[in-house]
C-alpha cells in the first residue's frame, strides 16, 4: 500500500490571548476569551453553528486529531469562548459548559458517585437537585442524607468516613441562609469527601467557592451569568484532574448549543455591572421591606443572625439581588399582593435584568409536603424576589404601593 502524500501539518488549536495579570474582574470579563487569530480577526467571537467539522482525508475519527475540532457535542470554538471566560471568573483550572444547570448537576453527581457511597446534602437546595438526589441516586445504591440548617453549626459532626460527596448552596433558596463554605470544606477534607457548591445565587462576582476550599463549583448559568432570561445553560469549574472524572459531554450529552454559548459569552461581558446594581437593589429593597408593617419577616443574606452576618461579611463581596419576605397577612395575602405589583413579573427563575417575583411554596418547592416546607422555614406566606437592574427607587415604590394596599 502506498503512503498518502504528506498533507499540511495538523492545525493546533489557537490559544486565547493572555490577559495582563494585573487586570481586574470587569476588565477580564470584557477581554476574556479573545482569539482573533482563529476568528478571521473578528473582535466579537463568531458563532460556529455547526454540529460537525471537516476532517483532512488522512485522518479518521480514531486517529490523533492534532488539535482539530471533531464534533460539537465534544468541542466547539464558540462554546470554548464562554467556557474560558467562566473559568477565569471562578478562578479554576478548567471549566465545562452544559445545556442547563441540571445538566451540570446530574453529570457531576452521577460521575462522581457509585454504589455504596454516601452523599450528604444541606436540605435547602434547588428542587431539581433534591429530586435527583431523592429519586435517582437510591436506584444506583447511593445513599443520600439530607441535613438540616443546624448542621451548619458543626459540619464536622455530620460527615462520616463513607461520605464521598457533600453538596450545598449558599445563600440558600428561598430563605437566603448563608452557609460557611470554608468550614464545610475543612470538614469534607477531613473525611476525604469532595465538596461541591452550587454558586448560582451568589455569582462568582460576589463569592468564589474554590478560593474558600470547595472542590468544584456548579452554576445554573441560565440565571445571573446569562442574565437576560433568554437561554438555558449550566457550568462546572474546578481542577483539571477532577473534571477529567466527570462526563461533561460524551455520554450524558448535556452539551451547550453554540448559539446559547454565544449569547452567554456576550452576557458575561456585563456580568459585574449587572451584579453590582443587583447587589445595590437587594440592599435597598431589603431595608425598605423591613420597615413595612405588612411584612412579617425579611430573608436576606446575613439577616438571620450575627453569626451569619459574620460569615457573609467574610465570604461574600456583595449580598446579591435575592430577597424573600413573609407576609403578615398569611397565604391569603400573597395572590392580591402579586396582582398589585406593576413592574415585577410573576415568574419562577431568577438573575435576569427584569425583576421577578414568585411564591416558592407553589413553584420551586411545590413538590415538598407541608411538613417538609415547614422544616425549611417556608410557609404559604413566603414570597421571593429576584431583583433586576431597574432603578432602586422604582422597585421600592412598586413594592411599597402593593404592600400599602395589603393593609
Ligand atoms: C440554585 C439552582 N441550581 C440549579 C438550578 C437548575 O438550573 P437550570 O434550570 O438551568 O437547569 C436552578 C434553577 O432554578 C437553581 O435555582
Amino acid at each position: 500500500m502506498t503512503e498518502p502524500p504528506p498533507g499540511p501539518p495538523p492545525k493546533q488549536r489557537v490559544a486565547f490571548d493572555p490577559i495582563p495579570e494585573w487586570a481586574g474582574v470587569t476588565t477580564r470579563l470584557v477581554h476574556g476569551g479573545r482569539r482573533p487569530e482563529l476568528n478571521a480577526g473578528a473582535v466579537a467571537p463568531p458563532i460556529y453553528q455547526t454540529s460537525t467539522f471537516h476532517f483532512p482525508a488522512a485522518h479518521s475519527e480514531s486517529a490523533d486529531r492534532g488539535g482539530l475540532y471533531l464534533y460539537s457535542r465534544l468541542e466547539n470554538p464558540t462554546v470554548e469562548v464562554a467556557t474560558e471566560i467562566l473559568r477565569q471568573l471562578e478562578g479554576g483550572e478548567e471549566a465545562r459548559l452544559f445545556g442547563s444547570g441540571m445538566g451540570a448537576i446530574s453529570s457531576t453527581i452521577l460521575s462522581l458517585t457509585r454504589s455504596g457511597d454516601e452523599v450528604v446534602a444541606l436540605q435547602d437546595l434547588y428542587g431539581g437537585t433534591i429530586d435527583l438526589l431523592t429519586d435517582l441516586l437510591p436506584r444506583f445504591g447511593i445513599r443520600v442524607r439530607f441535613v438540616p440548617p443546624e448542621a451548619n453549626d458543626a459540619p464536622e459532626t455530620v460527615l462520616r468516613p463513607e461520605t464521598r460527596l457533600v453538596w450545598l448552596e449558599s445563600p440558600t433558596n428561598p430563605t437566603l441562609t448563608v452557609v460557611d463554605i470554608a468550614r464545610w470544606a475543612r470538614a469534607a477534607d477531613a473525611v476525604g469527601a469532595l465538596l461541591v457548591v452550587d454558586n448560582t445565587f451568589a455569582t462568582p462576582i460576589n463569592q468564589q467557592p474554590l478560593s474558600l476550599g470547595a472542590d468544584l463549583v456548579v452554576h445554573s448559568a441560565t440565571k445571573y451569568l446569562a442574565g437576560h432570561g433568554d437561554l438555558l445553560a449550566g457550568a462546572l469549574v474546578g481542577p483539571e484532574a477532577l473534571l477529567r472524572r466527570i462526563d461533561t459531554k460524551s455520554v450524558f450529552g448535556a452539551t451547550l448549543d453554540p448559539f446559547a454559548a454565544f449569547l452567554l459569552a456576550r452576557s458575561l461581558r456585563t456580568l459585574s455591572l449587572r451584579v453590582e446594581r443587583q447587589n445595590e437593589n437587594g440592599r435597598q429593597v431589603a431595608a425598605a421591606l423591613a420597615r413595612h408593617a405588612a411584612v412579617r419577616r425579611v430573608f436576606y443574606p446575613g439577616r438571620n443572625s450575627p453569626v451569619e452576618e459574620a460569615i457573609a461579611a467574610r465570604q461574600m463581596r456583595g449580598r446579591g439581588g435575592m430577597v424573600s419576605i413573609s407576609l403578615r397577612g398569611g397565604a391569603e395575602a400573597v395572590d392580591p399582593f402579586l396582582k398589585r405589583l406593576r413592574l415585577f413579573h410573576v415568574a419562577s427563575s431568577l438573575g435576569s435584568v427584569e425583576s421577578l417575583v414568585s411564591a416558592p411554596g407553589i413553584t420551586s418547592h411545590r413538590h415538598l409536603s407541608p411538613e417538609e416546607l415547614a422544616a425549611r422555614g417556608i410557609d404559604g406566606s413566603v414570597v421571593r424576589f429576584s431583583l433586576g437592574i431597574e432603578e432602586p427607587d422604582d422597585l421600592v415604590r412598586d413594592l411599597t404601593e402593593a404592600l400599602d394596599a395589603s393593609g
Side-chain angles (χ1 to χ4, degrees), residues 100-102 105 126 169 198 200-201 220 222-223 233 350:
S100 70
M102 281 314 297
I105 291 168
Y126 172 62
E169 296 174 9
D198 182 331
T200 300
F201 271 44
S220 167
T222 310
K223 310 297 184 327
L350 61 133

Side-chain angles (χ1 to χ4, degrees), residues 362-374:
I362 52 165
T363 55
S364 55
H365 291 63
R366 67 187 175 283
H367 57 290
L368 299 180
S369 68
E371 296 74 39
E372 287 170 320
L373 286 171

